[in-house]
């Protein structure tokens, strides 16, 4: 394992081995993030093992994220599982919240929010498997409090990006009465709206490793395309199972990091 990390840090970026690793890991992360979410942590681990500081790793991964979700949004739209109007109405408050999210760190410890999410996410996941009426027209109406909740989701994403896609799925499912396929489509497009804001900041401060970002982004796009069709063909069941597995992994990590480690 030590030899592998030495290889990641010292090998030529354009060597076949490094290119294969970047594209391969990008594919896996793109697939999981499209079907459920929270796989970006794998990206951070890889980039930091290659010698990048966390801010460069954070900025570099946004290029692939934007490209991937742009493509997957087009697929969900073409297949009839994305309403662009609803996507914009969800994405804008999420993006606005993300702008202010960094300020929240100065007021409230991220550990408090992460611990709360570690307990709350599994409960929300259990609710996904309960029967919920989807034909109530009131559910699909936007009210000020619903915009506010999506704004809060953006606030959470402003200081920790782990699980934001899952929260968008939950919000669309519980507050807008969507099935999981349409909720996943909204997630794809909401990410497209708020990611350029963060990416622009990283670009301004020179915190994007463009060669790595572009090679890795190829894997992200390919994984996103595969994940889109897996979601659509597998239907609601595969998304619910994938979300449940992602949530259990994420919750376990958040609780371990903040309560045990």
């Amino acid at each position: 394992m030590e030899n592998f990390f030495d290889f990641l840090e010292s090998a030529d970026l354009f060597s076949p081995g490094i290119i294969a690793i970047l594209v391969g890991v990008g594919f896996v992360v793109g697939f999981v993030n499209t079907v459920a979410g929270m796989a970006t942590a794998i990206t951070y681990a890889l980039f930091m093992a290659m010698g990048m500081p966390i801010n460069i790793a954070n900025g570099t991964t946004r290029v692939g994220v934007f490209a991937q979700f742009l493509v997957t949004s087009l697929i969900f739209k073409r297949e009839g599982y994305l309403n662009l109007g609803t996507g914009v109405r969800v994405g804008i408050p999420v993006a606005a919240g993300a702008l202010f999210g960094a300020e929240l760190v100065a007021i409230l410890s991220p550990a408090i929010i992460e611990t709360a999410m570690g307990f709350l996410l599994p409960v929300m996941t259990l609710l996904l498997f309960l029967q919920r009426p989807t034909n109530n027209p009131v559910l699909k109406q936007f009210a000020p409090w619903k915009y506010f909740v999506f704004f809060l989701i953006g606030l959470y994403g402003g200081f920790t990006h782990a699980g934001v896609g899952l929260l968008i799925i939950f919000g669309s499912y519980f507050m807008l009465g969507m099935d999981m396929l349409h909720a996943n489509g909204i997630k794809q497009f909401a990410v497209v709206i708020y990611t350029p804001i963060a990416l622009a900041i990283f670009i301004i401060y020179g915190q994007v490793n463009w060669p790595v970002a572009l090679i890795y982004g190829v894997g992200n796009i390919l994984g996103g395309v595969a994940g889109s069709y897996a979601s659509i063909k597998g239907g609601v069941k595969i998304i619910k199972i994938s979300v449940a597995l992602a949530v259990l992994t994420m919750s376990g990590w958040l609780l371990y990091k903040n309560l045990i480690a």
Side-chain angles (χ1 to χ4, degrees):
M1 183 63 70
E2 185 176 343
N3 291 335
F4 177 70
F5 285 124
D6 290 340
F7 169 74
L8 287 177
E9 192 167 358
S10 61
D12 180 6
L13 174 60
F14 298 104
S15 65
I18 291 294
I19 291 176
I21 291 172
L22 286 173
V23 174
V25 173
F27 180 92
V28 172
V29 172
F31 184 93
V32 175
N33 275 346
T34 300
V35 177
M38 76 145 288
T40 305
I42 300 173
T43 308
Y44 294 148
L46 172 63
F47 289 172
M48 292 175 72
M50 294 175 66
M52 293 185 199
I54 182 58
N55 57 340
I56 304 294
N58 199 359
T60 301
T61 192
R62 304 306 176 94
V63 177
V65 167
F66 178 69
Q68 169 204 326
F69 281 100
L70 181 61
V71 172
T72 57
S73 292
L74 293 173
I75 293 174
F76 274 82
K77 173 61 178 174
R78 186 181 65 189
E79 297 296 326
Y81 293 105
L82 169 59
N83 182 298
L84 289 179
T86 303
V88 170
R89 296 175 80 175
V90 169
I92 289 177
V94 171
L99 283 175
F100 292 97
E103 298 296 329
L104 190 62
V105 179
I107 302 172
L108 189 62
S109 169
I112 296 175
I113 300 295
E114 290 181 351
T115 302
M117 293 306 300
F119 286 109
L120 182 60
L121 284 173
V123 176
M124 297 173 69
T125 303
L126 288 175
L127 295 176
L128 292 178
F129 292 89
L130 299 178
Q131 291 296 322
R132 172 187 53 77
T134 59
N135 57 356
N136 185 350
V138 176
L139 276 176
K140 301 181 180 181
Q141 295 176 1
F142 272 86
W145 70 269
K146 293 182 181 181
Y147 286 108
F148 181 68
V149 171
F150 282 116
F151 177 81
L152 292 179
I153 290 173
L155 280 178
Y156 174 80
F159 66 87
T160 174
H161 294 278
V164 176
L166 296 174
L167 292 178
I168 294 173
I169 289 178
F170 287 142
S172 300
Y173 180 84
F174 290 116
M175 295 191 303
L176 303 181
M178 294 182 175
D179 60 49
M180 292 296 289
L181 263 175
H182 286 84
N184 202 9
I186 292 298
K187 178 196 77 176
Q188 313 300 320
F189 193 65
V191 172
V192 171
I193 291 178
Y194 75 76
T195 296
I197 297 173
L199 178 58
I201 295 173
F202 287 112
I203 292 174
I204 290 171
Y205 285 96
Q207 296 176 345
V208 175
N209 184 320
W210 284 104
V212 172
L214 295 175
I215 296 171
Y216 182 80
V218 171
N220 276 159
I221 293 172
L222 294 175
V225 171
S228 296
Y229 287 112
S231 297
I232 292 169
K233 292 183 179 180
V236 172
K237 183 176 180 180
I238 189 173
I239 297 178
K240 284 186 177 181
I241 293 174
S242 300
V243 167
L245 291 174
V247 164
L248 290 175
T249 303
M250 176 182 172
S251 298
W253 164 245
L254 291 176
L255 294 177
Y256 171 79
K257 181 175 73 168
N258 293 295
L259 299 180
I260 300 176

